[in-house]
Amino acid sequence: MIKVGIIGGAGYTGGELIRLLVNHPEAEISFVQSRSQAGKKLYSSHSDLLGETELAFVPEWHGDVDVLFLCMGHGDSKKFMESNEVNASVKIIDLAHDYRLDDSKVYGLPELNREATKSANFVANPGCFATAIELALLPLAHNGMLKEVHVSGTTGSTGAGVMPSESTHFSWRNNNISTYKEFQHQHLAEIRKSLMQYQPWYENNINFVPYRGNFTRGILVSAYQYCEWPLEEAIRVYKEYYEDHPFTWVTDSPLDVKQVVNTNKCFIHLQMHNGYLMVQSAIDNLLKGASGQAVQNMNLMFGLDETTGLKLKGSAF
């Protein structure tokens, strides 16, 4: 069994990671660290874990594990690594943005870096919007066809983290919609870097406008650019790129987020309008966009089938 340690387990990504790992056939949780919740049962913070585990949060971590998941706030992973000595034999998966642009770490998008992830000791897990946008655009970059692209995406409130704020408060978010960080979202740098692995000469804009949705989880992205391919060719190229990737599916049906919520899947739908290819992608921001992808990376790092513990079905209604 893979012995797992979780640093910062009281938030949304920590809770989803625990939910996946308590049922994972090849892993066992050694500890879940949280100074703010130390001594309390995990289900005191994550009520859906009642009846699943009697583990309690611990105030400190220990290194007698095979893998450490870092589920802290952005910026705290580097502080942790700089102030703690982690044995070189312990593999690390960071769910924050701290190492996503670090060339010495593997960027953990399996549909891009699966082989590198298999031999990695440190994986930087992608951001949620980055995952959805990269999966929408990678086949274009892989074929040198990526041009200036316009992207909009709507995310659920859990993408903002567990700490409440004005823009996640129910009375503000319900029956409401708004944009934020227009054209300067923090995930744009990792998106550009990932796409340039295939198309290093890419110098055009990724014009991204993110939206806050009035729902809790899920991301729906729409991206469009001029494309010389007919629709049938585009569909063929996308299906060919993802044919060996078990969680990303190209579908002829229109998308909605309920198709993928509570799963590690990404669904992709293509349309052509007057020479413009529109690519839509849908993911669960907490699973394929965070904790599910982290477990997928763990599976790859330990030589397991990448779907192990992740064969989840969406509720759809």
Side-chain angles (χ1 to χ4, degrees), residues 258-288:
K258 283 189 175 182
Q259 295 169 321
V260 295
V261 164
N262 294 318
T263 80
N264 197 53
K265 297 175 183 175
C266 174
F267 284 178
I268 292 176
H269 177 64
L270 306 178
Q271 299 178 31
M272 190 71 74
H273 298 278
N274 298 319
Y276 285 87
L277 177 67
M278 185 178 79
V279 186
Q280 291 186 310
S281 66
I283 65 168
D284 184 318
N285 58 294
L286 292 179
L287 287 177
K288 185 57 175 167

Side-chain angles (χ1 to χ4, degrees), residues 18-81:
I18 297 164
R19 180 169 74 88
L20 294 170
L21 291 173
V22 294
N23 294 305
H24 194 289
E26 301 292 340
E28 59 181 0
I29 300 173
S30 295
F31 68 84
V32 181
Q33 182 272 346
S34 172
R35 291 183 179 175
S36 66
Q37 303 300 312
K40 299 178 181 178
K41 299 288 188 180
L42 300 185
Y43 52 72
S44 67
S45 292
H46 309 297
S47 58
D48 57 336
L49 292 176
L50 180 63
E52 299 292 329
T53 177
E54 288 296 317
L55 281 173
F57 292 104
V58 298
E60 302 296 336
W61 72 285
H62 64 76
D64 185 22
V65 293
D66 299 308
V67 59
L68 271 181
F69 288 92
L70 307 183
C71 298
M72 299 172 288
H74 299 306
D76 290 336
S77 296
K78 275 193 175 179
K79 294 176 184 176
F80 175 85
M81 294 302 297

Side-chain angles (χ1 to χ4, degrees), residues 8-202:
Y12 288 139
T13 59
E16 289 298 278
L17 191 57
I18 297 164
R19 180 169 74 88
L20 294 170
L21 291 173
V22 294
N23 294 305
H24 194 289
E26 301 292 340
E28 59 181 0
I29 300 173
S30 295
F31 68 84
V32 181
Q33 182 272 346
S34 172
R35 291 183 179 175
S36 66
Q37 303 300 312
K40 299 178 181 178
K41 299 288 188 180
L42 300 185
Y43 52 72
S44 67
S45 292
H46 309 297
S47 58
D48 57 336
L49 292 176
L50 180 63
E52 299 292 329
T53 177
E54 288 296 317
L55 281 173
F57 292 104
V58 298
E60 302 296 336
W61 72 285
H62 64 76
D64 185 22
V65 293
D66 299 308
V67 59
L68 271 181
F69 288 92
L70 307 183
C71 298
M72 299 172 288
H74 299 306
D76 290 336
S77 296
K78 275 193 175 179
K79 294 176 184 176
F80 175 85
M81 294 302 297
E82 290 168 356
S83 59
N84 292 278
E85 187 172 341
V86 181
N87 193 295
S89 65
V90 177
K91 297 181 186 294
I92 296 170
I93 301 173
D94 179 27
L95 278 75
H97 69 197
D98 298 27
Y99 294 97
R100 292 174 188 162
L101 301 179
D102 187 336
D103 290 335
S104 69
K105 309 296 187 287
V106 172
Y107 184 73
L109 186 72
E111 290 82 358
L112 177 63
N113 291 324
R114 180 162 57 190
E115 293 307 311
T117 299
K118 289 179 180 180
S119 58
N121 287 318
F122 194 121
V123 165
N125 217 56
C128 52
F129 258 135
T131 296
I133 294 171
E134 287 161 5
L135 292 177
L137 299 179
L138 278 175
L140 288 169
H142 184 253
N143 286 273
M145 290 288 287
L146 190 64
K147 298 178 171 58
E148 181 165 358
V149 62
H150 297 265
V151 185
S152 63
T154 305
T155 185
S157 59
T158 52
V162 72
M163 296 300 292
S165 67
E166 179 182 341
S167 62
T168 59
H169 194 286
F170 177 81
S171 61
W172 184 89
R173 196 129 179 173
N174 190 47
N175 297 321
N176 200 6
I177 192 167
S178 65
T179 63
Y180 70 106
K181 297 181 181 177
E182 302 88 341
F183 301 97
Q184 53 186 354
H185 194 276
Q186 66 271 17
H187 291 177
L188 281 170
E190 64 184 278
I191 293 168
R192 176 174 288 279
K193 182 179 179 182
S194 298
L195 296 172
M196 289 180 70
Q197 283 186 228
Y198 284 144
Q199 195 171 321
W201 63 90
Y202 184 73

